[in-house]
Amino acid sequence: MKEFLISKYKDVEPYVPGEQPRDKKYLKLNTNESPYSPSEAVLKAVADSASSLQLYPDPACRDLKAALAGSLGLQPENILPTNGSDEVLSLSFMAYAHDEKPAYYADVTYGFYDVLSGLFGVKAKHFALRDDFTIDISEYCGLDSGLIVIANPNAPTGIAIGVNEIEKICKESPDCVVLIDEAYVEFGAESAVGLVTKYPNLIVSRTYSKSMSLAGARLGYAIANEERIRELETLKYTLNPYSVNRTALAAGVAAVEDIEYYKNNCRLVAETRDRTAERLKELGFELTDSKTNFVFCRHPGVQASELTDKLRQAGILVRHFTGERTNDWLRISIGTPEDMLALTNTLEEILNGGRV
């Protein structure tokens, strides 16, 4: 059969999302979605937007830029709304990395970074996390060109670094763009947003998917110096000026205006995470210090693949990463307290030989 695909894309490895099976109803603790619904204000805004779906959305996203800028103490020119935070990542890899300007990131981190490196022909330089999965920030200091990408907190490890460490990287690698991926920052880590007006080489990426209960809306945004935003926006307008749809824009503004609802949800998730972590430790699990809406854990007596299979048989989905350094580990999203009680009770039964 004749091949039509351009040769440079033949070896691209696509990102593998968390599974979304439909064979039966599962307790989904595998994709880090919020266990709480959007606020009533957001649901109303989404419903109201339906009457205007025959019209294109505002490509400049002016209302959302203004709402986000006001909430962050910045200017609208410091904000770029996007189709999920993955669009921020895609635009940044396109803009700031190529053969002569590598992308630098951890060997255990968000898998989409490797996908984008392959797609755009970027030379990727991986820095190994320490044995305890913490980042050695000294490796990111003194670099002379390219794109530094750090998920903070990291995924799938859940471990965060501090703002002082991020500032050190920005200061000591001034010729690199430093992209801090803050998909999970609202669950207990420090944000680097306060540094964007000080360091023109810093971009912060955020998403509505986790903390704002809008994974299905596909809404994210970049926060940066005005010039970086103009550069990213130029690429966005070149690829798809209407990438943020009208319903997502309405939901995004309403969520910012109802921010206390979401802050409370994040607090509940963090509290549930910490209680779940303690219960898992009682069951013999080892865990990282997660500042996210998931835990990263392993049990010395049972293989992660076996636990994944037995949980699935019990109707509970978790994420098992099969990489060399993560094969023993599970990433478990935090649901409601009732969800996590069901998880830990099932794990206890499995560990006691009660599940086949």
Side-chain angles (χ1 to χ4, degrees):
M1 181 179 292
K2 183 178 178 61
E3 292 187 1
F4 292 93
L5 184 65
I6 296 173
S7 60
K8 69 178 181 179
Y9 296 129
K10 289 181 179 178
D11 295 326
V12 169
E13 293 286 340
Y15 179 71
V16 180
E19 60 177 328
Q20 304 275 1
R22 296 188 176 187
D23 57 317
K24 66 178 183 180
K25 184 175 177 59
Y26 290 93
L27 173 53
K28 287 185 75 279
L29 303 178
N30 64 324
T31 49
N32 299 342
E33 296 148 320
S34 174
Y36 302 109
S37 70
S39 70
E40 290 297 325
V42 168
L43 295 176
K44 182 179 185 305
V46 168
D48 291 346
S49 73
S51 63
S52 300
L53 288 181
Q54 78 276 17
L55 303 175
Y56 284 108
D58 174 15
C61 307
R62 285 166 291 190
D63 290 344
L64 183 55
K65 281 188 175 187
L68 287 168
S71 71
L72 297 169
L74 296 170
Q75 298 301 313
E77 293 76 17
N78 297 121
I79 310 292
L80 175 63
T82 55
N83 184 259
S85 60
D86 286 341
E87 188 177 20
V88 177
L89 303 179
S90 297
L91 296 173
S92 297
F93 271 76
M94 290 177 64
Y96 306 116
H98 53 75
D99 284 343
E100 297 176 2
K101 291 189 174 185
Y104 307 93
Y105 48 88
D107 63 333
V108 179
T109 191
Y110 183 29
F112 201 50
Y113 305 155
D114 269 342
V115 172
L116 292 173
S117 291
L119 178 63
F120 296 125
V122 169
K123 180 180 179 181
K125 170 65 176 176
H126 299 99
F127 292 132
L129 298 178
R130 299 185 181 100
D131 290 343
D132 62 357
F133 291 125
T134 56
I135 293 175
D136 181 356
I137 67 161
S138 67
E139 294 186 303
Y140 298 88
C141 296
L143 301 175
D144 58 8
S145 68
L147 176 67
I148 295 170
V149 187
I150 297 176
N152 191 48
N154 194 20
T157 68
I159 299 172
I161 60 174
V163 170
N164 289 343
E165 293 169 293
I166 294 170
E167 183 167 17
K168 180 178 175 66
I169 293 169
C170 293
K171 185 183 299 183
E172 297 192 13
S173 295
D175 296 323
C176 291
V177 170
V178 180
L179 173 59
I180 303 299
D181 184 352
E182 292 190 344
Y184 301 97
V185 75
E186 292 93 343
F187 298 100
E190 292 181 280
S191 174
V193 167
L195 299 177
V196 297
T197 56
K198 184 176 181 180
Y199 293 97
N201 61 330
L202 175 63
I203 299 171
V204 175
S205 171
R206 290 275 191 89
T207 179
Y208 275 72
S209 294
K210 322 299 182 183
S211 62
M212 306 290 263
S213 302
L214 285 172
R218 309 311 304 131
L219 184 60
Y221 55 103
I223 311 160
N225 162 279
E226 292 180 22
E227 187 175 352
R228 299 290 82 69
I229 292 297
R230 281 197 298 270
E231 292 165 349
L232 296 176
E233 197 162 50
T234 296
L235 289 179
K236 175 180 176 289
Y237 272 61
T238 303
L239 289 167
N240 185 0
Y242 298 110
S243 68
V244 184
N245 67 66
R246 179 174 287 272
T247 297
L249 287 173
V253 171
V256 173
E257 293 173 349
D258 206 9
I259 194 63
E260 292 305 317
Y261 170 82
Y262 294 100
K263 286 182 178 180
N264 185 60
N265 285 349
C266 291
R267 179 183 58 79
L268 292 174
V269 168
E271 290 174 354
T272 305
R273 175 197 66 212
D274 293 344
R275 287 195 300 270
T276 300
E278 290 305 312
R279 180 63 183 133
L280 289 171
K281 290 175 184 177
E282 292 172 1
L283 293 174
F285 283 85
E286 301 171 11
L287 294 94
T288 59
D289 181 19
S290 175
K291 300 298 183 185
T292 64
N293 66 340
F294 59 82
V295 293
F296 195 55
C297 62
R298 67 177 175 183
H299 196 286
V302 188
Q303 291 185 343
S305 58
E306 180 181 350
L307 288 174
T308 301
D309 291 342
K310 290 185 175 181
L311 284 169
R312 185 187 176 93
Q313 292 170 26
I316 301 174
L317 299 179
V318 298
R319 191 80 186 263
H320 176 216
F321 293 89
T322 57
E324 180 179 350
R325 299 188 65 187
T326 58
N327 195 48
D328 294 336
W329 294 79
L330 296 178
R331 192 196 69 188
I332 304 174
S333 306
I334 301 300
T336 65
E338 294 76 18
D339 293 338
M340 305 319 290
L341 181 61
L343 167 80
T344 53
N345 285 346
T346 302
L347 283 171
E348 182 175 17
E349 189 177 349
I350 291 170
L351 294 171
N352 289 333
R355 295 268 179 179
V356 177

